[in-house]
Amino acid sequence: MFKKTTFFLTILLILLLIPTTASASELTAEGTCGQNVVWSLTEDGTLSISGTGAMEDYSWTNFVPTTPWYQYRNSIKKIIVHDGVTSIGSSAFYRLSSVTTIELSDDVLALGSYAFASCSKIQSFHFPANLVYIANYCFEDCYNLNNVAIPDTVTKLGDCVFTGCSNLENVDLPENMQVLPRGFFSECTSLERITLPDSITELVSYCFRDCTSLKYINFPSSITTIGYRAFSGCTSIEEIVLPNTITTLNSEVFYHCSGLKELTLSSNLGTIPKSLCYGCTSLEIVDIPVSVTKIEDFAFYGCSNLTSVIMHDGLQEIGKSAFFNCTNLVSMILPESIIKIGDNAYGCYKNIFDETDIVPNSKIYCFKSTAAESYATKTGIPYSLIEIIIDTFDCEYTGKPVTPSIIITIDGNSLNEGSDFLALYTNNTNIGTATVRI
């Protein structure tokens, strides 16, 4: 019995003295990926990045990156970036389509361009707590990415960061964010709502292009500018209310937003830009702000459900095809202030050969000897003349509102105040010059 026990103990001691080589046997490949950064890949599919400082930047040609681990792309399931590494290189993990888990150290301050682009299996991403910069196209075409919360530490964002993330549904943006970059959420077709931070001042071009499920977005009063095609192709959004802080809308902002029914424009716009609502086939009513002096070409082209456009005195120009093919817009009241109307500003196609015609049963209401009357005469659109007579006079201050007599006729037929028109008075109580807007 004593000998057997000694035998087993001897065997056990021998086993304990044999060096453990399991980790070494799991190693598939290794190398450098920065001046003081190395990488290793183990048989379980874990790609580890360790060392100090920045990773190397990589490039790609014909969708094939130059990263040394790309040849193992089908076996890489997990990425771990250890403490000490401060940045993820450009295209570092581009097209690693089998990766499901990514762990980054909080030492990482920057994510390079295309760093995780086309990592199509990742569903969520935990950003490092000290992250400062996310570069262009960083998560492009991460088709299964569903939730992201960008930390408030991020102060710089590149273009098209989440372009093509077609399953992205939930997003938290940094509270101090001022500019939403170009194409930031373009083609995020599952995104239904977005809350913009109160600090934001500008939405750059294409930022929500083709977000076909987007139904709600808030517009903080800090916003002043919306870029080219920022919401083009957002076919599910039905109502947009723009704050009066917006002074600049670029062209085609709501291009082909076919579900848009209600649009409230900023009262500080000077111009309705080219093709602003081109192809917004559900839009019903448009109130052009008093501040607007020009409606540019194609602004409301093809808004086939549009039935009413409210224009105010002060508008000077309507561009070519601005209301062309608005086939339900059967009447327009054109202000006396208009001095120029472009070709085909109002009309429709006659046939498949693109011959133009007037909208059936349409009529223009305008003032005598104006550009609007000349346009109606030139195009053959039926029109009626408006005449407004306001009893202007000087009176003594009484502390009570002064309401002069207003007579409005169309083709000689008088209208009734209250039922046919409304009169809005300004400064008609105090001493000075009063105005009335009809």
Side-chain angles (χ1 to χ4, degrees):
M1 183 68 180
F2 177 77
K3 289 183 179 180
K4 287 183 180 181
T5 302
T6 303
F7 174 77
F8 287 135
L9 288 173
T10 303
I11 294 295
L12 179 60
L13 289 172
I14 292 172
L15 288 173
L16 290 174
L17 290 173
I18 296 175
T20 302
T21 58
S23 297
S25 66
E26 291 180 1
L27 190 66
T28 298
E30 61 183 343
T32 61
C33 54
Q35 186 172 358
N36 296 301
V37 183
V38 297
W39 67 276
S40 63
L41 177 64
T42 53
E43 289 181 352
D44 65 356
T46 300
L47 175 63
S48 296
I49 309 296
S50 57
T52 57
M55 284 183 68
E56 183 178 341
D57 287 325
Y58 298 94
S59 60
W60 50 269
T61 303
N62 295 327
F63 303 104
V64 178
T66 57
T67 48
W69 45 79
Y70 185 67
Q71 60 183 309
Y72 308 106
R73 60 191 178 280
N74 293 329
S75 61
I76 298 175
K77 303 294 190 297
K78 183 177 183 179
I79 297 169
I80 300 178
V81 177
H82 295 277
D83 292 348
V85 179
T86 58
S87 71
I88 307 300
S90 297
S91 303
F93 308 116
Y94 176 59
R95 296 194 73 197
L96 295 185
S97 56
S98 296
V99 170
T100 58
T101 304
I102 297 171
E103 297 177 7
L104 302 183
S105 161
D106 286 339
D107 289 342
V108 173
L109 304 177
L111 307 180
S113 59
Y114 295 95
F116 301 97
S118 296
C119 288
S120 54
K121 286 190 177 180
I122 60 171
Q123 296 182 358
S124 61
F125 188 91
H126 179 72
F127 290 92
N130 300 307
L131 189 66
V132 174
Y133 176 44
I134 305 175
N136 300 343
Y137 298 93
C138 188
F139 296 94
E140 181 192 34
D141 292 340
C142 289
Y143 304 124
N144 282 299
L145 187 62
N146 183 261
N147 299 283
V148 291
I150 303 173
D152 292 339
T153 55
V154 174
T155 57
K156 186 177 180 181
L157 290 163
D159 295 338
C160 304
V161 168
F162 296 105
T163 289
C165 293
S166 54
N167 274 309
L168 187 62
E169 294 181 351
N170 302 300
V171 177
D172 290 333
L173 296 171
E175 289 186 1
N176 57 353
M177 186 179 196
Q178 294 186 341
V179 176
L180 190 66
R182 181 178 69 89
F184 200 74
F185 292 114
S186 63
E187 299 177 39
C188 290
T189 53
S190 295
L191 189 63
E192 293 188 6
R193 58 189 295 120
I194 188 79
T195 301
L196 299 174
D198 291 337
S199 55
I200 204 153
T201 61
E202 181 179 3
L203 306 180
V204 184
S205 57
Y206 300 109
C207 56
F208 292 101
R209 178 178 62 89
D210 291 337
C211 289
T212 54
S213 296
L214 186 64
K215 295 179 180 178
Y216 170 81
I217 180 170
N218 69 310
F219 291 92
S221 58
S222 53
I223 294 181
T224 62
T225 304
I226 300 180
Y228 174 75
R229 289 201 177 193
F231 294 93
S232 66
C234 292
T235 54
S236 294
I237 199 162
E238 295 185 359
E239 180 182 7
I240 289 177
V241 178
L242 299 179
N244 293 332
T245 51
I246 292 179
T247 56
T248 302
L249 289 177
N250 285 278
S251 59
E252 303 183 20
V253 169
F254 304 112
Y255 185 87
H256 279 300
C257 289
S258 57
L260 182 62
K261 294 180 180 180
E262 300 179 42
L263 173 63
T264 302
L265 295 166
S266 165
S267 63
N268 286 304
L269 288 175
T271 300
I272 302 297
K274 181 180 179 181
S275 302
L276 175 69
C277 293
Y278 187 112
C280 292
T281 53
S282 296
L283 191 62
E284 298 174 353
I285 299 174
V286 172
D287 188 347
I288 306 297
V290 176
S291 56
V292 170
T293 59
K294 182 179 181 180
I295 300 173
E296 293 191 341
D297 301 346
F298 303 98
F300 298 96
Y301 181 102
C303 294
S304 55
N305 209 38
L306 189 63
T307 59
S308 177
V309 177
I310 302 170
M311 303 180 191
H312 301 275
D313 197 49
L315 180 65
Q316 297 179 7
E317 184 176 345
I318 299 176
K320 67 181 181 181
S321 299
F323 296 97
F324 192 78
N325 239 24
C326 295
T327 51
N328 276 303
L329 186 61
V330 295
S331 67
M332 293 183 73
I333 301 175
L334 300 180
E336 191 174 8
S337 57
I338 293 176
I339 58 177
K340 183 179 179 181
I341 300 177
D343 293 340
N344 296 319
Y346 179 40
C348 64
Y349 287 117
K350 184 177 183 179
N351 51 41
I352 60 173
F353 301 106
D354 290 346
E355 294 178 349
T356 59
D357 198 358
I358 63 175
V359 174
N361 304 313
S362 61
K363 181 177 256 192
I364 287 176
Y365 296 87
C366 58
F367 294 83
K368 187 175 178 61
S369 302
T370 60
E373 184 183 12
S374 298
Y375 179 79
T377 302
K378 175 185 174 182
T379 57
I381 299 174
Y383 69 95
S384 292
L385 292 177
I386 304 171
E387 184 179 9
I388 300 177
I389 300 173
I390 300 178
D391 184 16
T392 60
F393 57 91
D394 294 331
C395 63
E396 293 183 0
Y397 173 72
T398 64
K400 297 180 181 180
V402 177
T403 55
S405 171
I406 300 173
I407 300 173
I408 300 179
T409 63
I410 295 179
D411 289 339
N413 299 311
S414 296
L415 303 183
N416 297 314
E417 184 175 354
S419 57
D420 297 325
F421 70 92
L422 295 175
L424 303 176
Y425 295 91
T426 303
N427 197 40
N428 64 325
T429 300
N430 300 320
I431 296 173
T433 301
T435 60
V436 58
R437 184 171 299 279
I438 300 168

